[in-house]
Amino acid sequence: EDLYNLLDSVTKEFPGVEAVASGAILSNYQRLRVENVCSRLGLKSLSYLWQRNQQELLDEMVIEFVYKMFLMCLYFLP
């Protein structure tokens, strides 16, 4: 299993790792897969976006993108 092997190698390389953050929003399969692998490796699974409203998330991302583009334009103005 690729995810298990990846996280196992990460925990060996960085022994201080205690948790994994995933971007699962509505997919039980994704969330449960990450939680299962984390459980087997003794890691905590963090799903901050779980069951968030997709439209609200998209709106937040667009606002952040526009804000960052605005700041970049200000930075490059003479």
Side-chain angles (χ1 to χ4, degrees):
E1 167 174 279
D2 292 340
L3 182 59
Y4 179 89
N5 292 334
L6 173 68
L7 292 178
D8 186 43
S9 65
V10 168
T11 57
K12 288 176 181 165
E13 176 108 12
F14 303 97
V17 170
E18 298 177 359
V20 174
S22 67
I25 299 171
L26 295 176
S27 171
N28 268 324
Y29 170 77
Q30 287 180 332
R31 182 181 57 85
L32 293 175
R33 181 170 178 241
V34 172
E35 286 179 358
N36 178 276
V37 169
C38 286
S39 174
R40 290 166 41 202
L41 291 169
L43 298 170
K44 182 171 179 147
S45 175
L46 307 173
S47 300
Y48 296 114
L49 302 178
W50 180 243
Q51 294 189 331
R52 287 275 314 271
N53 180 289
Q54 289 182 327
Q55 186 61 52
E56 289 175 9
L57 283 172
L58 180 60
D59 291 344
E60 289 174 20
M61 287 187 269
V62 168
I63 289 168
E64 286 298 315
F65 175 77
V66 170
Y67 177 70
K68 288 180 175 119
M69 293 303 293
F70 175 74
L71 290 178
M72 285 178 59
C73 289
L74 288 178
Y75 177 78
F76 288 108
L77 286 175

Coordinates of all heavy atoms in Angstrom, one line a residue:
E1 N 0.9 -1.2 0.0 CA 0.0 0.0 0.0 C 0.9 1.2 0.0 O 1.7 1.4 0.9 CB -0.9 -0.1 1.2 CG -1.7 1.1 1.6 CD -2.6 0.8 2.7 OE1 -3.7 0.3 2.4 OE2 -2.3 1.1 3.8
D2 N 0.7 2.1 -1.0 CA 1.6 3.2 -1.2 C 1.6 4.2 -0.1 O 2.6 4.7 0.3 CB 1.2 3.9 -2.5 CG 1.5 3.1 -3.8 OD1 2.3 2.2 -3.6 OD2 0.9 3.4 -4.8
L3 N 0.4 4.6 0.4 CA 0.3 5.6 1.4 C 0.9 5.1 2.7 O 1.7 5.9 3.4 CB -1.2 5.9 1.7 CG -1.5 7.0 2.8 CD1 -0.8 8.3 2.4 CD2 -3.0 7.2 3.0
Y4 N 0.8 3.8 3.1 CA 1.4 3.3 4.3 C 2.9 3.4 4.1 O 3.6 3.8 5.0 CB 1.0 1.8 4.5 CG 1.6 1.2 5.7 CD1 1.1 1.4 7.0 CD2 2.9 0.6 5.6 CE1 1.7 0.8 8.1 CE2 3.5 0.1 6.7 CZ 2.9 0.2 7.9 OH 3.5 -0.3 9.0
N5 N 3.4 2.9 3.0 CA 4.9 2.9 2.7 C 5.4 4.4 2.8 O 6.5 4.6 3.4 CB 5.2 2.3 1.4 CG 4.9 0.8 1.4 OD1 4.9 0.2 2.5 ND2 4.7 0.2 0.3
L6 N 4.7 5.3 2.2 CA 5.2 6.7 2.2 C 5.2 7.2 3.6 O 6.3 7.8 4.1 CB 4.3 7.6 1.4 CG 4.5 9.1 1.4 CD1 5.9 9.4 0.8 CD2 3.4 9.8 0.8
L7 N 4.2 7.1 4.4 CA 4.1 7.6 5.7 C 5.1 6.9 6.7 O 5.7 7.5 7.6 CB 2.7 7.6 6.3 CG 1.7 8.6 5.6 CD1 0.3 8.4 6.2 CD2 2.2 10.0 5.7
D8 N 5.3 5.6 6.4 CA 6.2 4.8 7.2 C 7.6 5.4 7.0 O 8.4 5.6 7.9 CB 6.2 3.3 6.8 CG 7.0 2.5 7.7 OD1 7.0 2.7 8.9 OD2 7.7 1.6 7.2
S9 N 8.0 5.6 5.7 CA 9.3 6.2 5.5 C 9.5 7.6 6.0 O 10.5 8.0 6.5 CB 9.6 6.2 4.0 OG 8.8 7.0 3.3
V10 N 8.4 8.4 6.0 CA 8.5 9.7 6.6 C 8.7 9.7 8.1 O 9.5 10.4 8.7 CB 7.2 10.5 6.3 CG1 7.1 11.8 7.1 CG2 7.1 10.9 4.8
T11 N 8.0 8.7 8.8 CA 8.2 8.6 10.2 C 9.6 8.1 10.6 O 10.1 8.5 11.7 CB 7.1 7.7 10.9 OG1 7.2 6.4 10.3 CG2 5.7 8.3 10.7
K12 N 10.2 7.3 9.7 CA 11.5 6.9 10.0 C 12.5 8.0 9.8 O 13.5 8.1 10.5 CB 11.8 5.7 9.1 CG 11.1 4.4 9.6 CD 11.4 3.2 8.7 CE 10.6 2.0 9.2 NZ 10.5 1.0 8.3
E13 N 12.3 8.8 8.8 CA 13.2 9.9 8.4 C 13.0 11.1 9.4 O 14.0 11.8 9.8 CB 12.9 10.4 7.0 CG 13.8 11.6 6.6 CD 14.8 11.3 5.6 OE1 14.8 10.1 5.1 OE2 15.7 12.1 5.4
F14 N 11.8 11.3 9.9 CA 11.5 12.4 10.8 C 10.7 11.8 12.0 O 9.5 11.9 12.0 CB 10.6 13.4 10.1 CG 11.2 14.0 8.8 CD1 10.9 13.5 7.6 CD2 12.2 15.0 8.9 CE1 11.5 14.0 6.4 CE2 12.8 15.5 7.8 CZ 12.4 15.0 6.5
P15 N 11.4 11.3 13.0 CA 10.8 10.6 14.1 C 9.8 11.4 14.9 O 9.0 10.9 15.7 CB 11.9 10.0 14.9 CG 13.2 10.5 14.3 CD 12.8 11.2 13.0
G16 N 9.9 12.7 14.8 CA 9.1 13.6 15.6 C 7.7 13.8 15.0 O 6.8 14.5 15.6
V17 N 7.4 13.3 13.8 CA 6.1 13.4 13.2 C 5.1 12.7 14.0 O 5.3 11.6 14.4 CB 6.1 12.9 11.8 CG1 4.7 12.8 11.2 CG2 7.0 13.7 10.9
E18 N 4.0 13.4 14.4 CA 3.0 12.9 15.2 C 1.6 12.8 14.5 O 0.7 12.1 15.0 CB 2.8 13.7 16.5 CG 4.1 13.7 17.3 CD 3.9 14.6 18.6 OE1 2.9 15.2 18.7 OE2 4.9 14.7 19.3
A19 N 1.4 13.5 13.4 CA 0.1 13.6 12.8 C 0.2 13.8 11.3 O 1.3 14.2 10.8 CB -0.7 14.8 13.4
V20 N -0.9 13.5 10.6 CA -1.0 13.7 9.2 C -2.2 14.5 8.9 O -3.3 14.2 9.4 CB -1.1 12.3 8.5 CG1 -1.3 12.5 7.0 CG2 0.2 11.5 8.7
A21 N -2.1 15.6 8.2 CA -3.3 16.4 7.8 C -3.7 16.0 6.3 O -2.8 15.9 5.5 CB -2.9 17.9 7.8
S22 N -4.9 15.7 6.1 CA -5.4 15.4 4.8 C -6.5 16.4 4.4 O -7.1 17.1 5.2 CB -6.0 13.9 4.8 OG -7.2 13.9 5.6
G23 N -6.7 16.4 3.1 CA -7.7 17.3 2.5 C -9.0 16.7 2.2 O -9.7 17.3 1.4
A24 N -9.3 15.6 2.8 CA -10.6 14.9 2.5 C -11.7 15.9 2.9 O -11.7 16.4 4.1 CB -10.7 13.6 3.3
I25 N -12.7 16.1 2.1 CA -13.8 17.0 2.4 C -15.1 16.1 2.6 O -15.8 16.2 3.6 CB -14.0 18.0 1.3 CG1 -12.8 18.9 1.1 CG2 -15.3 18.9 1.5 CD1 -12.8 19.8 -0.1
L26 N -15.4 15.3 1.6 CA -16.7 14.6 1.6 C -16.5 13.1 1.4 O -17.4 12.3 1.6 CB -17.7 15.1 0.6 CG -18.2 16.5 0.8 CD1 -19.1 16.9 -0.4 CD2 -18.9 16.7 2.1
S27 N -15.3 12.7 1.0 CA -15.1 11.3 0.7 C -14.8 10.4 1.9 O -13.7 10.6 2.5 CB -14.0 11.1 -0.3 OG -13.6 9.8 -0.5
N28 N -15.7 9.6 2.3 CA -15.4 8.7 3.4 C -14.3 7.8 3.1 O -13.5 7.4 4.0 CB -16.7 7.9 3.8 CG -17.6 8.5 4.8 OD1 -17.1 9.1 5.7 ND2 -18.8 8.4 4.6
Y29 N -14.2 7.3 1.9 CA -13.1 6.4 1.5 C -11.7 7.1 1.8 O -10.9 6.5 2.4 CB -13.2 6.1 0.0 CG -12.0 5.3 -0.5 CD1 -11.8 4.0 -0.2 CD2 -11.0 6.0 -1.2 CE1 -10.6 3.3 -0.6 CE2 -9.9 5.4 -1.7 CZ -9.7 4.0 -1.4 OH -8.5 3.4 -1.8
Q30 N -11.6 8.3 1.3 CA -10.3 9.0 1.6 C -10.0 9.2 3.1 O -8.9 8.9 3.5 CB -10.3 10.4 0.9 CG -10.2 10.3 -0.6 CD -10.2 11.7 -1.2 OE1 -10.7 12.6 -0.6 NE2 -9.5 11.8 -2.4
R31 N -11.0 9.7 3.8 CA -10.8 9.9 5.2 C -10.5 8.6 6.0 O -9.5 8.6 6.7 CB -12.0 10.6 5.8 CG -11.9 10.9 7.3 CD -13.2 11.5 7.8 NE -14.3 10.7 7.7 CZ -14.7 9.7 8.5 NH1 -14.0 9.4 9.5 NH2 -15.8 9.0 8.2
L32 N -11.2 7.6 5.7 CA -11.0 6.3 6.4 C -9.7 5.7 6.0 O -9.1 5.1 6.9 CB -12.2 5.4 6.1 CG -13.5 5.8 6.7 CD1 -14.7 4.9 6.3 CD2 -13.5 5.9 8.3
R33 N -9.3 5.8 4.8 CA -8.0 5.3 4.3 C -6.9 5.9 5.1 O -6.0 5.3 5.6 CB -7.9 5.5 2.8 CG -6.6 4.9 2.3 CD -6.6 4.9 0.8 NE -5.3 4.4 0.3 CZ -4.5 5.0 -0.4 NH1 -4.7 6.3 -0.8 NH2 -3.3 4.5 -0.8
V34 N -6.9 7.2 5.2 CA -5.8 8.0 5.9 C -5.9 7.6 7.4 O -4.9 7.4 8.0 CB -6.0 9.5 5.7 CG1 -5.0 10.3 6.6 CG2 -5.7 9.8 4.2
E35 N -7.1 7.6 8.0 CA -7.2 7.3 9.4 C -6.7 5.9 9.7 O -6.0 5.6 10.7 CB -8.7 7.4 9.8 CG -9.1 8.8 10.0 CD -10.6 8.9 10.4 OE1 -11.3 7.9 10.6 OE2 -11.1 10.1 10.6
N36 N -7.0 4.9 8.8 CA -6.5 3.5 9.0 C -5.0 3.5 9.0 O -4.4 2.8 9.8 CB -7.1 2.6 7.9 CG -6.6 1.2 8.0 OD1 -5.6 0.9 7.5 ND2 -7.4 0.4 8.7
V37 N -4.4 4.1 8.0 CA -2.9 4.1 7.9 C -2.3 4.8 9.1 O -1.3 4.3 9.7 CB -2.4 4.7 6.6 CG1 -1.0 5.0 6.6 CG2 -2.9 3.9 5.4
C38 N -2.9 5.9 9.5 CA -2.3 6.6 10.6 C -2.4 5.8 11.9 O -1.5 5.7 12.7 CB -3.1 7.9 10.8 SG -2.7 9.2 9.6
S39 N -3.6 5.1 12.1 CA -3.7 4.2 13.2 C -2.7 3.1 13.3 O -2.1 2.9 14.3 CB -5.1 3.6 13.2 OG -5.3 2.7 14.2
R40 N -2.4 2.5 12.1 CA -1.4 1.5 12.1 C 0.0 2.0 12.4 O 0.8 1.2 12.9 CB -1.5 0.8 10.7 CG -2.7 0.0 10.5 CD -3.0 -0.4 9.1 NE -1.9 -0.9 8.3 CZ -1.9 -0.9 7.0 NH1 -2.9 -0.5 6.3 NH2 -0.8 -1.3 6.4
L41 N 0.3 3.2 12.1 CA 1.6 3.8 12.3 C 1.7 4.6 13.6 O 2.7 5.2 13.9 CB 2.0 4.7 11.1 CG 2.2 4.0 9.8 CD1 2.4 5.0 8.7 CD2 3.5 3.1 9.9
G42 N 0.6 4.7 14.4 CA 0.6 5.4 15.6 C 0.6 6.9 15.4 O 1.0 7.7 16.3
L43 N 0.0 7.4 14.3 CA -0.1 8.8 14.0 C -1.5 9.3 14.2 O -2.5 8.5 14.1 CB 0.3 9.1 12.6 CG 1.8 8.7 12.2 CD1 2.0 8.8 10.7 CD2 2.7 9.6 13.0
K44 N -1.7 10.6 14.4 CA -3.0 11.2 14.5 C -3.4 11.7 13.1 O -2.6 12.2 12.4 CB -3.0 12.3 15.5 CG -4.3 13.0 15.7 CD -4.3 14.0 16.8 CE -5.7 14.6 16.9 NZ -6.1 14.9 18.2
S45 N -4.7 11.4 12.8 CA -5.2 11.9 11.5 C -5.9 13.2 11.7 O -6.9 13.3 12.5 CB -6.1 10.9 10.9 OG -6.7 11.4 9.7
L46 N -5.6 14.2 11.0 CA -6.2 15.5 11.1 C -7.0 15.8 9.8 O -6.4 15.8 8.7 CB -5.2 16.6 11.3 CG -4.2 16.4 12.5 CD1 -3.1 17.5 12.5 CD2 -5.0 16.4 13.8
S47 N -8.3 16.0 9.9 CA -9.1 16.3 8.7 C -9.8 17.6 8.9 O -11.1 17.6 9.2 CB -10.1 15.2 8.5 OG -9.4 13.9 8.3
Y48 N -9.1 18.7 8.8 CA -9.7 20.0 9.1 C -10.8 20.4 8.1 O -11.7 21.2 8.5 CB -8.6 21.1 9.1 CG -7.6 20.9 10.2 CD1 -6.3 20.6 9.8 CD2 -7.9 21.0 11.5 CE1 -5.3 20.4 10.8 CE2 -7.0 20.9 12.5 CZ -5.7 20.6 12.1 OH -4.7 20.4 13.1
L49 N -10.8 19.9 6.9 CA -11.8 20.3 5.9 C -13.0 19.3 5.9 O -14.0 19.6 5.2 CB -11.2 20.3 4.6 CG -10.0 21.2 4.4 CD1 -9.4 21.2 3.0 CD2 -10.3 22.7 4.7
W50 N -13.0 18.3 6.7 CA -14.0 17.2 6.7 C -15.4 17.8 6.8 O -15.7 18.5 7.8 CB -13.7 16.2 7.7 CG -14.8 15.1 7.7 CD1 -15.6 14.8 8.7 CD2 -15.0 14.2 6.6 NE1 -16.4 13.7 8.3 CE2 -16.1 13.3 7.0 CE3 -14.5 14.0 5.4 CZ2 -16.6 12.3 6.2 CZ3 -15.0 13.0 4.6 CH2 -16.1 12.2 5.0
Q51 N -16.2 17.6 5.9 CA -17.6 17.9 5.8 C -17.9 19.5 5.8 O -18.9 19.9 6.2 CB -18.4 17.3 6.9 CG -18.5 15.8 6.8 CD -19.5 15.1 7.7 OE1 -19.7 15.6 8.8 NE2 -20.0 14.0 7.3
R52 N -16.8 20.2 5.4 CA -17.0 21.6 5.2 C -17.9 21.8 3.9 O -17.8 21.1 3.0 CB -15.7 22.4 5.0 CG -14.9 22.5 6.3 CD -15.2 23.7 7.1 NE -15.4 25.0 6.4 CZ -14.4 25.8 6.1 NH1 -13.2 25.6 6.5 NH2 -14.7 26.9 5.4
N53 N -18.6 22.9 3.9 CA -19.4 23.3 2.7 C -18.5 23.6 1.5 O -17.6 24.4 1.7 CB -20.3 24.5 3.0 CG -21.1 24.9 1.9 OD1 -20.6 25.4 0.9 ND2 -22.4 24.6 2.0
Q54 N -18.6 22.9 0.4 CA -17.7 23.0 -0.7 C -17.8 24.4 -1.3 O -16.7 25.0 -1.7 CB -18.0 22.0 -1.8 CG -17.6 20.6 -1.3 CD -17.8 19.5 -2.4 OE1 -18.8 19.6 -3.2 NE2 -17.0 18.6 -2.5
Q55 N -18.9 25.0 -1.4 CA -19.1 26.4 -1.9 C -18.3 27.4 -1.0 O -17.6 28.2 -1.5 CB -20.5 26.8 -2.1 CG -20.7 28.1 -2.8 CD -20.1 28.1 -4.2 OE1 -20.4 27.2 -5.0 NE2 -19.3 29.0 -4.5
E56 N -18.5 27.2 0.3 CA -17.7 28.1 1.2 C -16.2 28.0 1.0 O -15.5 28.9 1.0 CB -18.2 27.9 2.6 CG -19.6 28.3 3.0 CD -20.0 27.9 4.4 OE1 -19.1 27.5 5.2 OE2 -21.2 28.1 4.7
L57 N -15.8 26.7 0.9 CA -14.3 26.5 0.7 C -13.8 27.1 -0.6 O -12.8 27.8 -0.6 CB -14.0 25.0 0.7 CG -14.0 24.3 2.0 CD1 -13.9 22.8 1.8 CD2 -12.9 24.7 2.9
L58 N -14.6 26.9 -1.6 CA -14.2 27.5 -2.9 C -14.2 29.0 -2.8 O -13.2 29.7 -3.3 CB -15.2 27.1 -4.0 CG -14.9 27.6 -5.4 CD1 -13.5 27.2 -5.9 CD2 -16.0 27.2 -6.4
D59 N -15.2 29.6 -2.2 CA -15.2 31.1 -2.0 C -14.0 31.6 -1.2 O -13.4 32.6 -1.6 CB -16.5 31.5 -1.3 CG -17.8 31.3 -2.1 OD1 -17.6 31.1 -3.4 OD2 -18.9 31.3 -1.6
E60 N -13.7 30.9 -0.2 CA -12.5 31.2 0.6 C -11.2 31.2 -0.2 O -10.3 32.0 -0.1 CB -12.3 30.3 1.8 CG -13.4 30.6 2.9 CD -13.3 29.5 4.0 OE1 -12.3 28.9 4.2 OE2 -14.3 29.4 4.8
M61 N -11.1 30.1 -1.0 CA -9.9 30.0 -1.8 C -9.8 31.1 -2.9 O -8.7 31.6 -3.1 CB -9.9 28.6 -2.5 CG -9.6 27.4 -1.6 SD -9.3 25.9 -2.5 CE -11.0 25.3 -2.4
V62 N -10.9 31.4 -3.5 CA -10.9 32.5 -4.5 C -10.5 33.8 -3.8 O -9.7 34.6 -4.4 CB -12.3 32.6 -5.2 CG1 -12.4 33.9 -6.0 CG2 -12.5 31.4 -6.1
I63 N -11.1 34.1 -2.7 CA -10.8 35.4 -2.0 C -9.3 35.4 -1.6 O -8.6 36.4 -1.8 CB -11.7 35.5 -0.7 CG1 -13.1 35.8 -1.1 CG2 -11.1 36.6 0.2 CD1 -14.1 35.7 0.0
E64 N -8.8 34.3 -1.1 CA -7.3 34.3 -0.8 C -6.5 34.5 -2.0 O -5.4 35.1 -1.9 CB -7.0 33.0 -0.1 CG -7.5 32.9 1.4 CD -6.9 34.0 2.2 OE1 -5.6 34.2 2.2 OE2 -7.6 34.6 3.0
F65 N -6.8 33.8 -3.1 CA -6.1 34.0 -4.3 C -6.1 35.4 -4.8 O -5.0 36.0 -5.2 CB -6.6 33.0 -5.4 CG -6.0 33.2 -6.8 CD1 -4.7 32.7 -7.0 CD2 -6.6 33.9 -7.8 CE1 -4.1 32.8 -8.2 CE2 -6.0 34.1 -9.0 CZ -4.7 33.5 -9.2
V66 N -7.2 36.0 -4.9 CA -7.3 37.4 -5.3 C -6.5 38.3 -4.4 O -5.8 39.2 -4.9 CB -8.8 37.9 -5.4 CG1 -8.9 39.4 -5.6 CG2 -9.5 37.1 -6.5
Y67 N -6.6 38.1 -3.1 CA -5.9 38.9 -2.1 C -4.4 38.8 -2.4 O -3.6 39.8 -2.4 CB -6.2 38.5 -0.7 CG -5.5 39.2 0.4 CD1 -5.7 40.5 0.6 CD2 -4.5 38.5 1.1 CE1 -5.0 41.2 1.6 CE2 -3.8 39.2 2.1 CZ -4.0 40.5 2.4 OH -3.3 41.2 3.3
K68 N -3.9 37.6 -2.6 CA -2.5 37.3 -2.8 C -2.0 38.0 -4.1 O -0.9 38.5 -4.2 CB -2.1 35.9 -2.8 CG -2.2 35.3 -1.4 CD -1.9 33.9 -1.3 CE -1.9 33.5 0.2 NZ -2.8 32.5 0.6
M69 N -2.8 37.9 -5.2 CA -2.5 38.5 -6.4 C -2.4 40.0 -6.3 O -1.5 40.7 -6.8 CB -3.5 38.1 -7.5 CG -3.5 36.7 -7.9 SD -1.9 36.1 -8.5 CE -1.7 37.0 -10.0
F70 N -3.3 40.6 -5.5 CA -3.3 42.0 -5.2 C -2.0 42.4 -4.5 O -1.4 43.4 -4.9 CB -4.5 42.4 -4.4 CG -4.6 43.8 -3.9 CD1 -4.9 44.9 -4.8 CD2 -4.3 44.2 -2.6 CE1 -4.9 46.2 -4.4 CE2 -4.3 45.5 -2.2 CZ -4.6 46.5 -3.1
L71 N -1.6 41.7 -3.5 CA -0.4 41.9 -2.8 C 0.8 41.8 -3.7 O 1.8 42.6 -3.7 CB -0.2 41.0 -1.6 CG -1.2 41.3 -0.5 CD1 -0.9 40.2 0.6 CD2 -1.1 42.7 0.1
M72 N 0.8 40.8 -4.6 CA 1.9 40.7 -5.6 C 2.0 41.9 -6.5 O 3.1 42.4 -6.8 CB 1.8 39.4 -6.4 CG 2.1 38.2 -5.6 SD 1.8 36.6 -6.5 CE 2.9 36.8 -7.9
C73 N 0.9 42.4 -7.0 CA 0.9 43.5 -7.8 C 1.4 44.7 -7.1 O 2.2 45.5 -7.7 CB -0.6 43.8 -8.3 SG -1.2 42.6 -9.5
L74 N 1.0 44.9 -5.9 CA 1.5 46.1 -5.1 C 3.0 45.9 -4.9 O 3.8 46.9 -4.9 CB 0.9 46.1 -3.7 CG -0.6 46.6 -3.7 CD1 -1.1 46.5 -2.2 CD2 -0.7 48.0 -4.2
Y75 N 3.5 44.7 -4.7 CA 4.9 44.5 -4.5 C 5.8 44.9 -5.7 O 6.8 45.5 -5.6 CB 5.2 43.1 -4.1 CG 6.6 42.7 -3.9 CD1 7.3 43.0 -2.7 CD2 7.3 42.0 -4.9 CE1 8.6 42.7 -2.6 CE2 8.7 41.7 -4.8 CZ 9.3 42.1 -3.6 OH 10.6 41.8 -3.4
F76 N 5.2 44.6 -6.9 CA 6.0 44.8 -8.1 C 5.8 46.2 -8.7 O 6.4 46.5 -9.7 CB 5.7 43.7 -9.1 CG 6.3 42.4 -8.8 CD1 5.5 41.4 -8.3 CD2 7.7 42.2 -8.8 CE1 6.1 40.1 -8.0 CE2 8.3 41.0 -8.5 CZ 7.4 40.0 -8.1
L77 N 4.9 47.0 -8.2 CA 4.7 48.3 -8.7 C 5.9 49.2 -8.3 O 6.5 49.0 -7.2 CB 3.4 49.0 -8.1 CG 2.1 48.5 -8.6 CD1 0.9 49.1 -7.9 CD2 2.0 48.8 -10.1
P78 N 6.3 50.1 -9.2 CA 7.5 50.9 -8.9 C 7.2 51.9 -7.7 O 6.2 52.3 -7.4 CB 7.8 51.7 -10.2 CG 6.6 51.4 -11.1 CD 5.8 50.4 -10.5

